[in-house]
Amino acid sequence: MTTIGIISDIHQRPAGEIEKALTVLKNEGATHLVLNGDIGNCHGSLESSIEGIHTVIDAAGQSGLETYVQPGSHESVTVYQAVLDILTTKYSNILDMVRHPFSDIGAWRLAFLPGAVSLFTGAEYPLGTEAPTGFHMVTKDGLVPFSPEDFNRRVNNGEDVTRVHYTNINALSSLVNNPERTVVFCHEPA
């Protein structure tokens, strides 16, 4: 039997708290885990953000639970994606749902809409309908497709540029192969 535990909005809790939560979920029979956003905190120092995200994802990796990780409204693209890239290489049970937005478990499909609608926190994983899903830049010209060359050129010219990953919620239909057997995970439903 598949049992999915969900952890959300933990905002860089100490490692001991994460390990306790994982132990409880495993004792309750969890075979899979969804880290459903706000595992980090985009406020504060770069070092504390890296450490917070690493602590949570590393604990999930060590738990052995198949873990689906998606950002919410408090993850920074630069920090979150870098840490996730390292830990998905280290742990085969960690899956990045930004890069792979669905997973099949037996007859069920788990579909993911990473990010959040509310941008009041300076979130770098917005949800909406105005752009295609993918990495973009927020510039003085609005939302434009991301390219490292264009990003560097704009920064070198003194422009204020933010890299974001935009999720177009209309893309959800392409992730659903059987509506009666699909479970959708979103950090912040509109």
Side-chain angles (χ1 to χ4, degrees), residues 20 32 37-38 42 44 47 58 72-73 87 92 110 114 119 121 125 133 144 146 155 164 170 174 178:
K20 284 180 193 175
H32 295 72
D38 287 4
C42 59
E47 293 81 12
D58 191 60
S73 58
L87 293 178
S92 62
L110 307 183
L119 297 178
T121 61
Y125 289 90
T133 295
V144 299
F146 174 82
V155 169
V164 299
N170 292 327
S174 69
N178 180 349

Side-chain angles (χ1 to χ4, degrees), residues 137 146-158 161:
M137 299 178 291
F146 174 82
S147 79
E149 297 80 19
D150 190 26
F151 182 85
N152 290 335
R153 180 187 58 77
R154 289 173 184 267
V155 169
N156 289 336
N157 288 338
V161 182

Side-chain angles (χ1 to χ4, degrees), residues 167-188:
T167 298
N168 189 309
I169 59 175
N170 292 327
L172 177 61
S173 62
S174 69
L175 303 177
V176 177
N177 61 353
N178 180 349
E180 293 178 8
R181 290 280 194 191
T182 301
V183 180
V184 178
F185 291 89
C186 183
H187 175 70
E188 180 187 75

Side-chain angles (χ1 to χ4, degrees), residues 68-80:
Y68 310 97
V69 186
Q70 74 174 350
S73 58
H74 281 77
E75 281 78 26
S76 152
V77 168
T78 303
V79 171
Y80 174 83

Side-chain angles (χ1 to χ4, degrees), residues 48-62:
S48 70
S49 184
I50 291 170
E51 182 181 335
I53 292 169
H54 185 275
T55 296
V56 174
I57 298 173
D58 191 60
Q62 290 179 34

Side-chain angles (χ1 to χ4, degrees), residues 22-153:
L22 291 169
T23 298
V24 168
L25 290 172
K26 287 175 80 171
N27 288 342
E28 291 293 322
T31 56
H32 295 72
L33 173 66
V34 172
L35 290 176
N36 197 36
D38 287 4
I39 58 176
N41 195 350
C42 59
H43 306 294
S45 73
L46 180 63
E47 293 81 12
S48 70
S49 184
I50 291 170
E51 182 181 335
I53 292 169
H54 185 275
T55 296
V56 174
I57 298 173
D58 191 60
Q62 290 179 34
S63 77
L65 295 171
E66 176 124 344
T67 302
Y68 310 97
V69 186
Q70 74 174 350
S73 58
H74 281 77
E75 281 78 26
S76 152
V77 168
T78 303
V79 171
Y80 174 83
Q81 285 302 149
V83 172
L84 204 51
D85 287 350
I86 292 166
L87 293 178
T88 54
T89 301
K90 181 177 179 181
Y91 297 108
S92 62
N93 61 315
I94 302 292
L95 296 123
D96 177 0
M97 305 324 290
V98 167
R99 292 202 166 92
H100 309 283
F102 72 89
S103 185
D104 294 325
I105 302 175
W108 292 91
R109 170 156 288 184
L110 307 183
F112 294 83
L113 291 173
V117 174
S118 66
L119 297 178
F120 66 91
T121 61
E124 295 180 9
Y125 289 90
L127 289 168
T129 58
E130 294 80 33
T133 295
F135 288 99
H136 297 276
M137 299 178 291
V138 178
T139 71
K140 63 181 179 179
D141 305 318
L143 196 63
V144 299
F146 174 82
S147 79
E149 297 80 19
D150 190 26
F151 182 85
N152 290 335
R153 180 187 58 77

